[in-house]
Each structure stands twice: as structure tokens, then as C-alpha cells.
Amino acid sequence: MKSEKISKSAHRKDEHLALAKASYQANQANSFDDLRLTRPTLPETVVTPDSIRTTMFGHTLSAPFFINAITGGSNKGQEINAALARVAKKANIALALGSANIVAHEPATLKTFTIARAANPDGMLLINVNPGTPLATIKLLINELRPAALQIHVNAVQELIMPEGDRDFQWLNKMMQIRDAVDLPVIVKEVGFGFDVKSLRLLEQNGFNYVDVAGSGGTDFAWIENFRRPGRDMDYLEGIGIPTVEALLTARQTNLTYFASGGIRNPLDVLKSMVLGASAVGISNRFLQEYNQNGEAGLLKLVTNWQDQLAGLVALFGGNDLADLKKMQFDYRLR
Ligand code: FNR
């Protein structure tokens, strides 16, 4: 059998896909379990899909949750991006592609990302890079993909565990240069370790407007990278992240516009995130594993079920629209 030559970066991305599957635990307990919403016994509302309609960066979407950054750069990544884009189109939700930094040193991988634009010509796409991605690459990606926004991922824990990872975590100036050079909203995004108040304030003071808190409680890249690491001797960093609910409560104290992600398991977690003030909610591994198990049709069914159920929950908790969620009462027990 002819074996295809695959670069180190593409191989790493395929390993992430495989290990995300190995590490996935359906309905894993997390910080959302400790957040209780007060439900009115007499909601005086009606269930309607209109209640969850939203606009994001100029796009009208059927739901405030989106498929968050997963992959690209390999053949498998290309197949997944095409399928995710078709699902996003049919369900009218946004899709964030995985990091496209690989395009800077392997230009042929561009097609593993542009396939998503071809599959959904008018849909809302976000692209994802790291603070060191060259500006020329970012501009090429913007021209080819016409994204609504740019995610820059910050992932110090992951980099430290990777033997080949970045050892220079001075990212703020690099991100400011990117932000000032592009004509798009820039979202600074973690990858499952959350944000602390000091870092959020630093972003705010330096003119950033958007963050994706990407807290812990779902995919744990400390586990994934430790598994890939020779000797597997940094397992003590597993679980080091700031839980998503705590990161959201912290973001509430700032003037940033924030997205929720990290360990979103079901429509109730989406609702709770919105109650905590998130403007939209990203899901990665739950959707990836549905695609792995039940294919594109299975994922589309899950997404449309979530839309129906979220509309039900908005009414159940006494809301007529997403704005009403911000007024709901909640109670959080610190563990
Ligand atoms: C990711 N994630 C991610 N994030 C990012 O900013 N750029 C990336 O390229 C990737 N790649 C990636 C691959 C795979 C296989 C997974 C599962 C995840 C992180 C992702 O966007 C998200 O922040 C975390 O996974 C936490 O969310 P979930 O998975 O708990 O919903």
C-alpha cells in the first residue's frame, strides 16, 4: 500500500484528533454542575425557535452556539472541516476552523481550510492562528476564507508540555500587531485552561474587545500533550485549568465581550453560559465525537436537536429571547 508522506505538524494534528477521542468522557462532571439557575414554576412563556436567533459580527444565526476550533492541515482535517462546514450551513450556525498556522510553513495545506468556505459560501466562519503566525499568512487566510472574525489562541500550558513547543510566552505585543494590521474583530482564545482576571484586564487595557474563555471541564490538552510526550512525565499538570464557569464569572467583571467554551456538554450548559453573560458558546469535542460516532448526518441531527432543546429551555426558564437570559438569577457553589 502506498503510504502518504505526512509532515510533523500534520501528524500532530491527527494525533490531537485521535487523543481527543481517547480522552473524551460523555457527560463528564464539571463546573456547570455547580451553577444552579432559578426556574420559575409559572414561566408564562411560549417555546419558539425565534427566541434563540442571534446576530454575530453581522451574521444572523439560528442559535448562539457554534462549532469551535478543531482542526485542519491534514487529509483527515480536510474531511472534517468540509463536513463541519456543511453541518454549519444546514443548521445556520457559525464555524471556527482549527489553527491555520501550518499554512505559513506548508502552503499546500491551505486547501484543508478553504474547503470549508467552498462548502458554505455565505456562512459565518472564524479563522484561528497563534500569536506568532506571520501577518502575510493571516492576510492570505483572510482573503481566501473571508472570515467574520479572527481567533488568536493562547495556550501556554500546552506549549510547555510539548517538547517542540514555544518557550517564549511574550504574546501580547504580537497579538496587538496582528490586531492593528487586520480589519476584523480579534478574539483572544484559550484552549481549555481558562482566563484569570489579571490577563483579562491586560487585554482590556491594551484595547482588545473579545475573548473566548475556553476554560477547563472538557478537553484537557495537558492530558493530550502529556500522552504524546516521551516519558509522559508531566501528568501533574492535568486539571490545572480554570473551570469555565469561574472564567465566565471573572469575565463578567470586565467590559470585554466574551464567548464561553470548554466542557459544553448539552443545551443546559449553553443556556447557563448565556445567563453568565456570554455572547455565544463554542463546542469542540462533544461535536467532534458525535461526528466520529455517527457521521455528518448524526452531527447535524445533534445540532438541530440542541437548537430545539435550547429554545425549550429559554421558555422553561422564563425567557422570551436571549436578552432575557442575562436577567436570570443563578447561584454558584465554589467546590
Ligand atoms: C482543539 N482546540 C483548538 N483550539 C484552538 O484555538 N486552535 C486549535 O487548532 C485547536 N485544535 C483542537 C483540536 C482538537 C482535536 C480539539 C478537541 C480541540 C481547543 C478547542 O477549540 C477548545 O478550546 C477546547 O477543546 C475546549 O472545548 P471542548 O472541547 O471542551 O468543547
Side-chain angles (χ1 to χ4, degrees):
M1 207 169 78
K2 192 180 153 208
S3 74
E4 203 178 328
K5 201 167 166 290
I6 178 163
S7 75
K8 253 190 175 165
S9 303
H11 180 64
R12 181 173 74 232
K13 282 159 178 277
D14 283 350
E15 283 193 336
H16 286 163
L17 290 169
L19 290 171
K21 185 174 182 179
S23 72
Y24 180 72
Q25 267 180 283
N27 300 317
Q28 181 186 341
N30 68 27
S31 57
F32 285 98
D33 298 326
D34 298 325
L35 184 79
R36 197 177 65 87
L37 303 179
T38 305
R39 185 185 65 78
T41 308
L42 295 175
E44 297 297 314
T45 52
V46 177
V47 178
T48 160
D50 291 339
S51 68
I52 62 164
R53 236 167 235 293
T54 188
T55 55
M56 214 197 306
F57 302 130
H59 286 260
T60 302
L61 301 164
S62 297
F65 62 83
F66 63 98
I67 306 172
N68 213 352
I70 299 176
T71 198
S74 67
N75 288 341
K76 180 78 186 154
Q78 179 168 338
E79 170 211 309
I80 293 174
N81 280 342
L84 297 179
R86 287 188 293 262
V87 168
K89 179 175 191 229
K90 288 181 185 149
N92 188 32
I93 59 171
L95 164 64
L97 298 170
S99 173
N101 180 59
I102 191 172
V103 175
H105 43 103
E106 294 172 44
T109 59
L110 180 62
K111 66 177 190 300
T112 68
F113 298 95
T114 52
I115 194 149
R117 178 47 84 203
N120 188 5
D122 304 315
M124 176 168 163
L125 282 183
L126 293 93
I127 58 171
N128 183 295
V129 298
N130 70 46
T133 303
L135 262 179
T137 305
I138 296 175
K139 289 192 167 163
L140 172 73
L141 293 164
I142 293 173
N143 276 335
E144 296 286 329
L145 285 150
R146 290 178 282 110
L150 170 71
Q151 293 179 329
I152 306 180
H153 68 262
V154 288
N155 60 341
V157 181
Q158 181 182 12
E159 295 292 342
L160 189 68
I161 301 175
M162 283 163 56
E164 73 277 28
D166 202 350
R167 292 290 178 268
D168 179 350
F169 306 140
Q170 299 172 102
W171 292 331
L172 186 65
N173 277 323
K174 292 178 184 167
M175 293 198 293
M176 286 166 68
Q177 280 168 22
I178 295 174
R179 184 202 58 208
D180 293 344
V182 303
D183 200 11
L184 279 180
V186 167
I187 304 165
V188 181
K189 174 184 176 297
E190 241 292 350
V191 302
F193 300 97
F195 275 89
D196 61 295
V197 71
K198 207 173 145 198
S199 303
L200 292 176
R201 294 262 184 246
L202 197 59
L203 291 173
E204 204 176 4
Q205 282 155 14
N206 285 284
F208 287 89
N209 294 317
Y210 305 99
V211 294
D212 180 337
V213 302
S216 68
T219 307
D220 186 349
F221 266 91
W223 185 90
I224 290 177
E225 296 301 353
N226 185 59
F227 195 91
R228 293 180 62 243
R229 185 183 160 86
R232 297 185 183 161
D233 57 349
M234 290 185 83
D235 55 351
Y236 54 85
L237 286 181
E238 289 165 21
I240 196 180
I242 296 168
T244 300
V245 168
E246 284 170 38
L248 289 170
L249 290 168
T250 305
R252 269 169 80 84
Q253 301 166 32
T254 71
N255 291 315
L256 294 161
T257 296
Y258 49 97
F259 298 90
S261 75
I264 305 295
R265 305 159 296 183
N266 54 48
L268 184 59
D269 292 344
V270 175
L271 186 93
K272 287 178 173 179
S273 298
M274 303 291 295
V275 169
L276 294 186
S279 46
V281 183
I283 297 103
S284 294
N285 217 6
R286 173 73 185 89
F287 286 172
L288 176 63
Q289 297 320 317
E290 189 68 25
Y291 173 72
N292 281 339
Q293 274 183 20
N294 300 315
E296 189 175 324
L299 177 58
L300 178 61
K301 191 159 185 295
L302 182 78
V303 169
T304 52
N305 281 347
W306 277 37
Q307 290 176 335
D308 290 345
Q309 291 176 20
L310 183 62
L313 292 178
V314 169
L316 186 68
F317 282 88
N320 293 305
D321 55 27
L322 296 176
D324 283 348
L325 298 182
K326 313 276 186 267
K327 299 172 220 152
M328 281 179 198
Q329 287 186 356
F330 62 85
D331 172 42
Y332 181 63
R333 271 182 292 124
L334 267 180
R335 269 179 214 242

